[in-house]
Amino acid sequence: MDDTPAKIRLDKWLWQARFFKTRSLSAKLVSGGHVRVNSAKVSKPAHSVGPGDVLTFPQARATRVIRIVAVGERRGPAPEAQALYEDLSPPAERPNVPSAPKYEGKGRPTKRDRRKLDLNRPDTLD
């Protein structure tokens, strides 16, 4: 047997670990120079990575910091993919902002709220 640790293409590992939906999306991110391997920028999707390497890359609106634990054999289900890495990025804090303001003197009232306002308003046409 071989004593060298297993290595895999960077774009393929990102796809197998389910960070990207397609391998071409992961290759495009790497080609754009947006991925760092052990704090060194990488611009080739064929760059070899293995267990112990630390990856830093943007995903959605967050920056992910990942340590590779294992090299996968296939793109399996999510629990199998999560066993391939250790997440080093701090958990993201979500701001406490409501998605849509309700009518309490702010925003636009709904049709139901508008009817209630009309019923409570005194008639000025009398």
Side-chain angles (χ1 to χ4, degrees):
M1 289 290 192
D2 207 2
D3 290 338
T4 59
K7 295 279 187 175
I8 191 171
R9 287 175 58 113
L10 177 58
D11 63 334
K12 190 171 183 179
W13 188 88
L14 287 170
W15 171 72
Q16 283 182 351
R18 293 187 166 269
F19 287 108
F20 298 97
K21 194 170 184 176
T22 64
R23 188 167 164 191
S24 61
L25 284 175
S26 64
K28 189 181 294 185
L29 183 83
V30 176
S31 297
H34 301 291
V35 179
R36 292 179 179 265
V37 177
N38 298 327
S39 71
K41 276 192 176 182
V42 176
S43 62
K44 297 197 177 211
H47 185 83
S48 295
V49 293
D53 288 338
V54 178
L55 307 178
T56 306
F57 59 93
Q59 185 184 29
R61 294 183 179 173
T63 300
R64 304 289 303 261
V65 180
I66 304 298
R67 178 179 291 128
I68 299 176
V69 175
V71 177
E73 296 178 12
R74 66 186 182 114
R75 185 172 200 246
E80 187 177 313
Q82 289 169 353
L84 298 178
Y85 63 90
E86 177 185 349
D87 195 358
L88 303 176
S89 54
E93 294 181 19
R94 293 184 177 203
N96 232 355
V97 178
S99 58
K102 299 291 181 194
Y103 184 73
E104 294 169 355
K106 304 182 224 177
R108 185 174 177 173
T110 62
K111 190 172 187 177
R112 184 177 181 190
D113 292 336
R114 184 70 186 158
R115 287 183 185 144
K116 286 180 186 176
L117 288 172
D118 288 341
L119 288 176
N120 293 336
R121 186 174 52 175
D123 284 336
T124 56
L125 299 175
D126 287 341

